[in-house]
Amino acid sequence: MISRDTIPTSFLPLDSASPVEWRIEPGLTEYETALATMEARAEAIRAGTAPEMVWLVEHPPLYTAGTSARLEDLVEPERFPVYDAGRGGEYTYHGPGQRVAYIMIDLKRRRPDVRAFIAALEEWIIRSLARFNVKGERREDRVGVWVVRPDRPPLPGGLPAEDKIAAIGIRLRRWVSFHGISVNVEPDLSHFEGIVPCGIKGYGVTSLVDLGLPVTMTDFDVALKASFEEVFGPSIQSD
């Protein structure tokens, strides 16, 4: 199997079409609203009637189930609402203080390669974290972005402890993507206890603030946009 570390992570467009629309949604966005908006925008992108878009939101506390979710990983089913997301992956948590970035782009404009797209999303997150001197890392056996925690007791076998700081869950329909990434800026980390995040046991979750960095959502949005343009190309912020 080809390592994602060896896949070129540039996902720049092959044409000079309009830049990606960059939209920041104020307040908390209901999950049903997000699903309907993504579906409509992805269809418009396929039809050529709307530009590609990155949509930044925060959700009220909730759990989402991907297509590979296992019921036994929903530890506290009554804690928060649970939604069938329709994306790849297993259970994940969304809530205030977590930046969710839904990315709706046409892979045929760039590279119709799912593994390369995942590697590009990881690279986007890693570069964004690096702007705050946080070393995010990918793992071949675990999707998402991880940080080593030398301040924590080691794992069995003496391996250093690791916490997940960002999750990835996407869906493609005729090569147009929707869903996307989530990065923990300052969520309530205890809310992750109601699930086995992404079906992965034995590891913790962390956030930028948990790592001792007083990063605001606005600070992180600036880093996200700059890193996105390095990996995916120009964007233009909309009102």
Side-chain angles (χ1 to χ4, degrees):
M1 180 180 293
I2 298 174
S3 168
R4 293 197 306 280
D5 285 322
T6 66
I7 298 173
T9 53
S10 173
F11 225 71
L12 299 173
L14 302 175
D15 56 45
S16 57
S18 58
V20 176
E21 180 183 350
W22 186 270
R23 182 187 300 176
I24 302 175
E25 194 73 26
L28 300 179
T29 301
E30 295 296 330
Y31 196 70
E32 299 98 325
T33 300
L35 286 176
T37 301
M38 284 191 288
E39 289 269 3
R41 186 55 171 254
E43 182 58 39
I45 292 169
R46 283 191 296 273
T49 59
E52 299 171 309
M53 183 171 77
V54 172
W55 186 30
L56 305 187
V57 306
E58 287 180 83
H59 290 301
L62 57 92
Y63 298 129
T64 67
T67 54
S68 301
R70 298 172 296 185
L71 188 58
E72 61 266 28
D73 289 339
L74 183 58
V75 181
E76 298 180 31
E78 304 301 324
R79 186 167 187 174
F80 297 125
V82 182
Y83 295 93
D84 183 359
R87 54 158 174 78
E90 303 189 40
Y91 284 106
T92 193
Y93 166 77
H94 294 316
Q98 182 191 71
R99 176 50 86 206
V100 177
Y102 292 127
I103 177 167
M104 289 150 275
I105 64 169
D106 186 351
L107 271 65
K108 290 185 295 184
R109 269 190 74 197
R110 301 158 188 277
R111 200 185 325 166
D113 183 326
V114 177
R115 284 180 60 81
F117 181 44
I118 296 295
L121 293 174
E122 291 171 334
E123 184 69 14
W124 175 23
I125 298 167
I126 288 168
R127 292 190 186 203
S128 299
L129 295 173
R131 285 177 153 83
F132 303 98
N133 296 315
V134 173
K135 185 180 180 183
E137 301 179 6
R138 55 173 60 88
R139 294 290 181 262
E140 286 302 311
D141 59 339
R142 290 177 259 135
V143 175
V145 175
W146 301 77
V147 293
V148 176
R149 300 299 303 269
D151 55 317
R152 299 275 179 86
L155 297 172
L159 295 173
E162 296 181 346
D163 286 345
K164 191 172 191 176
I165 195 168
I168 296 172
I170 62 164
R171 185 173 180 181
L172 296 177
R173 187 175 293 156
R174 296 197 294 274
W175 292 111
V176 175
S177 69
F178 50 116
H179 296 281
I181 68 171
S182 59
V183 184
N184 298 330
V185 178
E186 192 181 6
D188 185 336
L189 296 179
S190 71
H191 289 179
F192 286 88
E193 295 169 4
I195 57 171
V196 178
C198 300
I200 301 171
K201 298 180 179 179
Y203 298 92
V205 291
T206 190
S207 69
L208 287 167
V209 171
D210 182 55
L211 293 172
L213 300 167
V215 178
T216 67
M217 194 66 76
T218 299
D219 294 334
F220 192 66
D221 288 348
V222 172
L224 267 180
K225 191 171 189 295
S227 298
F228 177 85
E229 292 182 341
E230 292 174 357
V231 178
F232 289 92
S235 68
I236 183 167
Q237 189 153 333
S238 64
D239 295 331

